[in-house]
Amino acid sequence: MPDSKTPYYVTTAIAYPNGAPHIGHVYEAIATDAIARFHRLDGRDVRFLTGTDEHGLKMAQTAAREGVSPFDWATKNAARFKEMDERYGISFDRFIRTTDKDHYAASQELWRRMQAAGDVYLGKYEGWYSVRDEAYFDESETTVGEGRTRFAPSGAPVEWVVEESYFFRLSAYQDRLLKLYEEQPGFIGPDARRNEVLAFVKRGLADLSISRTTFNWGVPVPDDPKHVMYVWVDALTNYITGAGFPDETSELWRWWPADLHVIGKDIIRFHTVFWPAFLMSAGLPLPKRVFAHGFLNVRGEKMSKSVGNVVDPFAIADGYGVDAVRYFLLREVPFGQDGSYSHEAIVGRLNADLANDLGNLAQRSLSMIGKNCEGRVPTPGAFSEADAAMLASADELLEKTRAAFADLALHTALSAIWAVVAEANRYFAGQAPWALKKTDPERMATVLYVTAETVRQVAILAQPVIPEAASKLLDLLGVPAEARGFDALGQGGRLAAGSALPTPQPVFPRYVEPAAEAAS
Ligand code: ME8
């Protein structure tokens, strides 16, 4: 039966499986996962694609150094990326590898369509090429360092390369791209990136070399297999492979065009200049939005193997817990800006926001309910002004959170949710239900009800970011699985008085430094 819900298609960049994943990779996966989960809970029919980008010279070179075939090298590392996603509860619908068979078919069909449109021609390419960036650079973009070595803007060395190459007529797309940015102002986000791309395209576009003959680790060019496609042509195509292309009768095709491509700021040009031009040429619809998140550094320093400060996603999941890492990265770093990772910062967030503010509130209210209300959701009396104000704040959260997610201001969504947590803590302390136990048990029941109901709404809304802990909280509140979507928020989904609750348990343990633990 066809799903009547509106499709929502979101993707991450596909990572190079040229080594183990690092915290930048998990950051992108977590953010995209929160977006996918948010829209699922909000009733959309979500498809979430992630995976690995396995071709190209760099992959072939590393594999050769490792003494294995490029495919085996990619297979080994792709497994590690998938394992990372599974460890972090990344709810992808498909983990695509660009070595998947259907991806070859999609890439070759895209190529044929661009060729049929008259946008592909054979020529000679010469220029400054950076192996590390897998890109050619204009001489004006390079710098000359010591010993006359030339460098790309990334700092990688470039070399002069001449090869026969197919070209894509990118120069013909300048006007159409500028029109796209103007007519679809949300196409590129955040605004700073949009301005950067606009300025780049206004300067004029050179045709793009889209094939290589100097190595063969790539998708063969149709009818000319001594050429393989430039890795970015096949990499970008993954987004339509994941929607069933070229079979436009596939049930997956209803997801195209994508609603959102989430990527890092270093690859914005590929996604907002090359990719829409390829799609225009092939006569395919364009994605609705491309959003670039910032870069994570470690204590203000760029991550690098030589500095030895690369953060391993598996180690921090073991050390702090998956939900703590997820919450920290999305709360601490304004989405779209650069951010900094450190042990102190994550422990601060974990202990203050999770263990203290939300964890203690839930634990204190639920254990009072356990002890004083026979372990059942208490029956509230008439609501006071304070109760009504508390419930109103909780009821208003959905709209605030929706608006923030629509802007991809994930940090703003979390700060709105945690503002209600703070308000609930003030409410709980102000109403002092423990003091009402003897003087006014009915009033105590009302206060506990209002607190538990607030925690219910907070937990439902926090599911996209801290899925495991939120689900535990909802278990403790006796909320059935089918009442955890956003349609259960607000007045319509209030906790049912009298329903039995399990024994309360702490959900967020405080982080204690191992040394302090040993000493105590
Ligand atoms: O660029 N902080 O792969 P990749 C935040 N295969 N994000 C980071 C980061 C950091 N320190 N380092 C990398 C590629 N990223 C291509 C993509 S898509 C068709 C092809 C982000 O493994 C980076 O910006 O180098 C990108 O979005 C993703 O991680 C994969 O990077």
Side-chain angles (χ1 to χ4, degrees), residues 34 145 165 186 190 193 197 220 243 251 264 319 346 360 385 398 447 470:
S165 168
R193 300 288 159 227
V197 172
E251 60 98 23
I346 189 168
N360 277 351
E385 225 171 87
L398 174 61
V447 171

Side-chain angles (χ1 to χ4, degrees), residues 12-18 22-25 27-28 52-54 58 81 232 234-239 262-267 270-271 293-297 302-303:
T12 63
I14 46 171
Y16 293 124
N18 207 5
H22 57 61
I23 193 175
H25 293 120
Y27 174 54
E28 185 170 300
T52 42
D53 179 3
E54 307 191 353
K58 215 171 8 174
F81 275 84
W232 272 99
D234 106 70
L236 290 161
T237 306
N238 94 86
Y239 302 128
V262 176
I263 56 163
K265 65 177 185 179
D266 57 328
I267 54 175
F270 297 96
H271 283 80
H293 61 73
F295 259 45
L296 284 185
N297 54 48
K302 201 173 163 208
M303 258 187 303

Side-chain angles (χ1 to χ4, degrees), residues 155-178:
V158 293
E159 53 193 291
W160 189 256
V161 171
V162 184
E163 57 178 316
E164 182 191 90
S165 168
Y166 284 97
F167 282 81
F168 175 76
R169 227 176 275 285
L170 186 64
S171 57
Y173 283 86
Q174 183 187 21
D175 293 346
R176 274 172 280 184
L177 287 168
L178 290 173

Side-chain angles (χ1 to χ4, degrees), residues 42-310:
D42 210 12
R44 299 287 292 270
D45 179 19
V46 172
R47 181 167 177 79
F48 172 11
L49 184 76
T50 191
T52 42
D53 179 3
E54 307 191 353
H55 296 124
L57 181 57
K58 215 171 8 174
M59 284 295 293
Q61 286 176 331
T62 326
R65 264 204 308 278
E66 297 287 323
V68 292
S69 73
F71 180 73
D72 288 348
W73 177 240
T75 301
K76 177 175 167 229
N77 288 313
R80 200 65 181 145
F81 275 84
K82 194 165 174 221
E83 211 180 299
M84 172 191 84
D85 286 345
E86 281 157 359
R87 178 82 171 90
Y88 276 87
I90 306 303
S91 60
F92 59 82
D93 293 288
R94 174 171 173 185
F95 188 97
I96 191 170
R97 298 181 55 188
T98 53
T99 47
D100 289 344
K101 202 164 161 226
D102 61 344
H103 179 68
Y104 275 59
S107 305
Q108 289 176 330
E109 179 57 19
L110 182 78
W111 183 286
R112 280 191 204 98
R113 292 197 191 182
M114 300 195 299
Q115 201 162 35
D119 285 327
V120 175
Y121 64 91
L122 193 60
K124 267 209 171 36
Y125 195 85
E126 25 188 328
W128 294 109
Y129 186 72
S130 153
V131 172
R132 210 189 305 159
D133 299 308
E134 305 207 54
Y136 282 97
F137 292 91
D138 261 3
E139 185 148 312
S140 64
E141 290 179 286
T142 64
T143 46
V144 182
E146 262 176 58
R148 310 201 49 203
T149 311
R150 230 171 237 282
F151 295 98
S154 64
V158 293
E159 53 193 291
W160 189 256
V161 171
V162 184
E163 57 178 316
E164 182 191 90
S165 168
Y166 284 97
F167 282 81
F168 175 76
R169 227 176 275 285
L170 186 64
S171 57
Y173 283 86
Q174 183 187 21
D175 293 346
R176 274 172 280 184
L177 287 168
L178 290 173
K179 192 161 163 259
L180 162 71
Y181 308 145
E182 196 179 306
E183 288 176 354
Q184 211 175 303
F187 182 70
I188 308 172
D191 282 346
R193 300 288 159 227
R194 181 170 184 270
N195 296 336
E196 187 184 294
V197 172
L198 221 67
F200 171 74
V201 174
K202 278 185 182 156
R203 284 199 295 271
L205 295 169
D207 288 349
L208 182 69
S209 161
I210 53 166
S211 76
R212 300 286 181 264
T213 53
T214 44
F215 61 95
N216 63 7
W217 179 234
V219 180
V221 165
D223 308 317
D224 198 352
K226 71 174 184 294
H227 288 256
V228 291
M229 292 181 194
Y230 169 44
V231 64
W232 272 99
V233 174
D234 106 70
L236 290 161
T237 306
N238 94 86
Y239 302 128
I240 50 176
T241 309
F245 186 79
D247 180 5
E248 294 174 49
T249 63
S250 152
E251 60 98 23
L252 295 177
W253 192 242
R254 70 196 153 98
W255 273 290
W256 191 258
D259 292 82
L260 176 66
H261 293 318
V262 176
I263 56 163
K265 65 177 185 179
D266 57 328
I267 54 175
I268 191 88
R269 211 179 267 183
F270 297 96
H271 283 80
T272 59
V273 181
F274 301 174
W275 181 225
F278 295 165
L279 290 167
M280 284 175 189
S281 172
L284 292 168
L286 309 183
K288 293 175 199 156
R289 187 157 167 77
V290 177
F291 190 88
H293 61 73
F295 259 45
L296 284 185
N297 54 48
V298 177
R299 296 181 187 281
E301 266 192 85
K302 201 173 163 208
M303 258 187 303
S304 98
K305 277 193 193 149
S306 52
V307 178
N309 64 348
V310 179

Side-chain angles (χ1 to χ4, degrees), residues 386-401:
D387 304 337
M390 184 69 252
L391 290 172
S393 296
D395 292 350
E396 280 160 16
L397 265 184
L398 174 61
E399 280 323 307
K400 287 188 183 162
T401 316

